[in-house]
Amino acid sequence: MAGQAELFDITIVGGGGAGLTAALYASRGNLQTGLFEKMVAGGQIATTDDVENYPGFPEAIAGPDIAIKMEEQAKKYGAEIIYGAVTGLERDGQNFRVITDQGTFNTRSIVLASGANPRKLNVKGEKEFAAKGVSYCATCDGALFRGKDIAVVGGGDSAIQESLFLTKFASKVTVIHRRDELRASKILQQRAFDNEKVEFIWNAVISEIKGSKKIETLQLKDTKTGALRDFNVQGLFIFIGHDPVSDYVRGLVECDDHGYVITDQDYKTNVPGIFACGEVRKGSTRQLVSACGEGCSAALAVQAYLDNLA
Ligand code: NAP
């Protein structure tokens, strides 16, 4: 492993679709490539059951399967995948120091591909019932809810796609959405409307999660009238979007008010030598196929940057 004494040409932060594709292109471009991943390779796809819209797989492909293959492919060409968390970046002349829980590494360039984490509801009971009925990952926890009545909160693609997946286990899935119209793509909406196990509660938010040892009741607030009511469930899956993982670069790289990293069209940040791609980047379309495309483009931009330095 390249340690303190060695110098990576490119260090990629995050092993989702964007980061793994950047690693593939950089290593095939003969750059000494390091990639840090703090959990498992694949990022959000590693916890997605079926990916139906990645070109070339008309029958869909399981998220974890595509993640494993992307990791294998990057390693095949020499990318070094290091399982560890990046906690900070520092400039060191023209190079950078990457501070991680595995030590400090030196690099000539950096690609930020750290993605985004599931957003929390931030209501009373959410922390208390985490892993006691509250989940953010249907692929991980769905099977625990066999034959149970569960709720999903959110109205986007994730909420609807994962609700459909959860019908494989649950006896009923109730989608709770704060408006009376879904944000999800029409094809997913239609599948949910056609599925007799999926029901909807419109114009409602969860104001409290209650129970004793496990989750038992959601307190719902009507967004039109403000009226409160209790709704009994044995599980709650929260899919209300994501927040960018960029805390380790705040103050060094320009971010917008939400923490998304700002880049130009060549994926360059305001700091020469630091690039960003995928869901951590402001303006990303948040699709696996575009994350991979951005990872490729960022790696090619790094190659051009390093060639110009030499
Ligand atoms: P999203 O599209 O941002 O949707 C978040 C949903 O949660 C929205 O319906 C939003 O309501 C609701 N919401 C946000 N904050 C809330 C709160 N505090 N309380 C209650 N509801 C709240 O997020 P996503 O579904 O995770 O999708 C993220 C991106 O990944 C999207 O671009 C999506 O297209 C993509 N994706 C694609 C697929 C696919 O192509 N099959 C699958 C998964 C995700 P409002 O609608 O009222 O804002």
Side-chain angles (χ1 to χ4, degrees):
M1 185 197 285
Q4 267 165 323
E6 291 178 72
L7 182 68
F8 283 124
D9 292 316
I10 174 172
T11 295
I12 299 157
V13 185
L20 288 171
T21 309
L24 171 65
Y25 274 77
S27 52
R28 281 173 61 86
N30 224 11
L31 299 180
Q32 170 119 18
T33 304
L35 181 151
F36 286 89
E37 168 53 52
K38 69 176 174 192
M39 305 271 282
V40 288
Q44 288 176 42
I45 43 165
T47 57
T48 302
D49 60 313
D50 276 341
V51 179
E52 291 184 346
N53 52 8
Y54 194 74
F57 298 93
E59 307 304 330
I61 180 163
D65 290 351
I66 199 166
I68 289 166
K69 291 213 171 288
M70 281 184 183
E71 184 182 11
E72 264 175 32
Q73 201 173 357
K75 280 172 151 173
K76 178 176 167 186
Y77 295 102
E80 197 173 318
I81 314 276
I82 302 157
Y83 284 91
V86 174
T87 53
L89 301 175
E90 288 172 358
R91 274 188 212 253
D92 180 17
Q94 198 173 251
N95 296 334
F96 300 92
R97 273 190 293 273
V98 182
I99 299 142
T100 82
D101 60 6
Q102 304 296 307
T104 298
F105 295 77
N106 300 306
T107 186
R108 299 173 68 208
S109 67
I110 296 171
V111 172
L112 309 174
S114 40
N117 278 335
R119 191 173 289 151
K120 305 277 189 291
L121 272 179
N122 290 323
V123 296
K124 194 169 169 213
E126 185 176 11
K127 271 194 198 143
E128 192 183 336
F129 291 106
K132 293 178 187 162
V134 171
S135 171
Y136 304 85
C137 176
T139 314
C140 320
D141 299 330
L144 303 173
F145 295 89
R146 211 174 283 277
K148 298 193 169 160
D149 283 355
I150 61 174
V152 165
V153 58
D157 280 331
S158 300
I160 302 308
Q161 180 167 345
E162 301 307 323
S163 294
L164 290 164
F165 172 71
L166 287 164
T167 60
K168 291 184 190 174
F169 311 102
S171 49
K172 189 174 71 166
V173 179
T174 303
V175 178
I176 298 166
H177 184 38
R178 62 186 179 183
R179 295 186 292 130
D180 61 2
E181 199 184 348
L182 296 173
R183 181 181 291 277
S185 60
K186 296 289 178 224
I187 186 169
L188 289 176
Q189 290 195 26
Q190 200 52 54
R191 277 187 214 163
F193 294 145
D194 291 344
N195 190 314
E196 57 187 23
K197 280 190 173 180
V198 180
E199 295 182 3
F200 290 86
I201 296 178
W202 303 106
N203 300 314
V205 289
I206 296 168
S207 45
E208 189 177 339
I209 299 165
K210 300 190 273 193
S212 49
K213 285 189 179 150
K214 289 197 166 184
I215 182 173
E216 288 167 8
T217 309
L218 304 176
Q219 185 185 66
L220 303 183
K221 184 176 176 186
D222 188 301
T223 52
K224 296 224 150 134
T225 63
L228 296 176
R229 69 163 164 131
D230 280 348
F231 182 70
N232 291 337
V233 290
Q234 292 159 296
L236 171 66
F237 285 80
I238 299 173
F239 298 114
I240 58 167
H242 294 89
D243 292 316
V245 179
S246 60
D247 42 326
Y248 62 97
V249 285
R250 305 261 173 98
L252 175 63
V253 164
E254 193 185 354
C255 297
D256 73 3
D257 292 345
H258 303 286
Y260 288 98
V261 177
I262 295 171
T263 68
D264 68 7
Q265 61 187 17
D266 294 323
Y267 303 96
K268 291 177 183 155
T269 69
N270 63 318
V271 179
I274 304 187
F275 300 73
C277 58
E279 201 169 336
V280 74
R281 191 184 73 82
K282 181 180 166 71
S284 123
T285 54
R286 300 168 165 172
Q287 304 294 310
L288 175 58
V289 64
S290 48
C292 294
E294 289 191 13
C296 159
S297 300
L300 297 178
V302 167
Q303 185 106 51
Y305 164 80
L306 294 174
D307 286 349
N308 281 334
L309 285 184

